[in-house]
């Protein structure tokens, strides 16, 4: 496979740079990197270059790199650009992952606070603009229109149904924790509850070694945390593999 992708050492280096760039592109929390990618997109898709028959290698490479980065970004949030039921399925899984982190003391933020508003903001500031760029670059053909349409429909549907969906998630997972704590108290002695950060203030033999609720009790038919937050970066100096 490597021989097909790159035949020489220089090709391997360029391929690695491209992969690193693509993975780092999923970090949307760094404002400097976000600004850099925005400028590079505008430069790569400069209207003055439209219709040009011959482009310099640097222009082709820049365009190829930025398109691949945006494809990876779309893959990272693909559920937001698909059918409503797909979006809700993965939205619930993300909430559960973040709530587990909160309960286990790895986060000071209860994801239930502002979840509804945060999803609307995410659609407006990231998902829909990203879908518009995918349509603009044309690499997906007519599917680019579908991604944008689904993103906009999901945004509208979330605005209408999101509050209730959020309440359902909060009830479901807070109920699981409360049930687990109740079982521990009845079978292994008392537990003195949770602190304001969700961390246990007491210990019992039924708890995990850190004194936190054991989420292994969540039923197998419940959602499982399979989403992971991305990390990223971009470097104007990196050059991708040439794409024709």
């Amino acid at each position: 496979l490597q021989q097909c992708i790159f035949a020489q050492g220089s090709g391997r280096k360029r391929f690695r740079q491209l992969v690193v760039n693509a993975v780092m592109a999923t970090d949307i929390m760094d404002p400097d990197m976000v600004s850099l990618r925005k400028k590079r997109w505008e430069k790569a898709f400069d209207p003055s270059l439209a219709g040009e028959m011959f482009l310099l290698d640097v222009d082709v490479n820049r365009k190829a790199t930025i398109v691949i980065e945006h494809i990876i970004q779309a893959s990272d949030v693909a559920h937001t650009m698909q059918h409503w039921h797909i979006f809700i399925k993965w939205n619930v899984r993300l909430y559960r992952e973040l709530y587990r982190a909160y309960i286990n003391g790895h986060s000071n933020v209860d994801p239930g606070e502002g979840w509804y508003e945060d999803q609307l903001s995410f659609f407006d500031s990231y998902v829909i603009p990203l879908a518009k760029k995918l349509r603009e670059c044309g690499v997906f053909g007519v599917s680019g229109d579908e991604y944008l349409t689904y993103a906009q429909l999901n945004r509208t549907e979330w605005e209408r149904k999101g509050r209730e969906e959020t309440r359902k998630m909060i009830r479901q997972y807070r109920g699981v924790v409360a049930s687990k704590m109740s079982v521990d108290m009845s079978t292994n002695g008392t537990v003195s509850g949770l602190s304001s950060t969700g961390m246990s203030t007491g210990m019992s033999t039924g708890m995990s070694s850190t004194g936190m609720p054991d989420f292994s009790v969540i039923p197998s038919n419940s959602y499982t945390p399979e989403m992971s937050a991305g990390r990223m970066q971009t470097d104007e100096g990196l050059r991708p593999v040439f794409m024709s």
Side-chain angles (χ1 to χ4, degrees), residues 142-200:
V142 294
S143 293
D145 291 317
E146 294 178 4
Y147 299 147
L148 176 58
T149 298
Y150 273 125
Q152 292 171 331
L153 289 174
N154 285 335
R155 198 270 185 208
T156 300
E157 197 78 349
W158 179 262
E159 185 173 23
R160 189 166 63 92
K161 299 180 178 179
R163 292 189 187 279
E164 179 57 30
E165 293 292 338
T166 300
R167 283 192 287 266
K168 285 164 58 178
M169 284 186 274
I170 292 175
R171 285 197 302 267
Q172 178 180 2
Y173 293 112
R174 287 183 178 175
V176 168
V177 174
S179 176
K180 171 60 179 172
M181 302 264 314
S182 177
V183 170
D184 288 334
M185 292 176 67
S186 63
T187 59
N188 299 297
T190 61
V191 180
S192 32
L194 297 176
S195 69
S196 60
T197 62
M199 297 180 63
S200 173

Side-chain angles (χ1 to χ4, degrees), residues 38-227:
K38 181 179 179 180
K39 291 178 181 178
R40 290 175 60 232
W41 176 277
E42 293 171 351
K43 189 173 183 179
F45 289 91
D46 186 339
S48 65
L49 296 178
E52 287 287 337
M53 295 295 295
F54 301 100
L55 297 175
L56 298 176
D57 283 354
V58 65
D59 295 323
V60 175
N61 287 337
R62 183 186 299 111
K63 181 173 291 190
T65 300
I66 199 68
V67 166
I68 290 174
E69 289 174 2
H70 280 71
I71 290 174
I72 294 296
Q73 288 178 340
S75 300
D76 199 40
V77 295
H79 65 295
T80 63
M81 303 180 193
Q82 299 183 63
H83 193 276
W84 168 255
H85 297 295
I86 300 296
F87 166 68
I88 285 297
K89 174 183 178 179
W90 289 97
N91 190 264
V92 170
R93 292 185 177 192
L94 176 60
Y95 176 85
R96 180 175 183 263
E97 178 182 344
L98 296 177
Y99 189 63
R100 286 183 63 177
Y102 170 68
I103 287 297
N104 285 320
H106 301 305
S107 170
N108 294 324
V109 179
D110 182 346
E113 298 178 2
W115 187 263
Y116 169 76
E117 293 80 4
D118 288 346
Q119 300 307 299
L120 288 177
S121 176
F122 188 57
F123 271 110
D124 293 337
S125 64
Y126 184 71
V127 175
I128 292 177
L130 176 59
K132 288 180 178 179
K133 287 182 177 180
L134 293 177
R135 182 183 64 175
E136 177 185 343
C137 70
V139 296
F140 289 110
V142 294
S143 293
D145 291 317
E146 294 178 4
Y147 299 147
L148 176 58
T149 298
Y150 273 125
Q152 292 171 331
L153 289 174
N154 285 335
R155 198 270 185 208
T156 300
E157 197 78 349
W158 179 262
E159 185 173 23
R160 189 166 63 92
K161 299 180 178 179
R163 292 189 187 279
E164 179 57 30
E165 293 292 338
T166 300
R167 283 192 287 266
K168 285 164 58 178
M169 284 186 274
I170 292 175
R171 285 197 302 267
Q172 178 180 2
Y173 293 112
R174 287 183 178 175
V176 168
V177 174
S179 176
K180 171 60 179 172
M181 302 264 314
S182 177
V183 170
D184 288 334
M185 292 176 67
S186 63
T187 59
N188 299 297
T190 61
V191 180
S192 32
L194 297 176
S195 69
S196 60
T197 62
M199 297 180 63
S200 173
T201 57
M203 295 286 288
S204 75
T205 55
M207 304 290 279
S208 68
S209 60
T210 60
M212 304 301 168
D214 182 1
F215 273 86
S216 63
V217 301
I218 293 181
S220 59
N221 63 346
S222 184
Y223 290 120
T224 56
E226 298 175 10
M227 295 187 70

Side-chain angles (χ1 to χ4, degrees), residues 16-57:
R16 183 182 184 279
Q17 290 174 335
L18 180 59
V19 171
V20 170
N21 257 25
V23 173
M24 298 297 284
T26 58
D27 179 3
I28 61 174
M29 302 307 293
D30 188 326
D32 293 333
M33 292 298 99
V34 171
S35 176
L36 176 61
R37 276 192 303 277
K38 181 179 179 180
K39 291 178 181 178
R40 290 175 60 232
W41 176 277
E42 293 171 351
K43 189 173 183 179
F45 289 91
D46 186 339
S48 65
L49 296 178
E52 287 287 337
M53 295 295 295
F54 301 100
L55 297 175
L56 298 176
D57 283 354

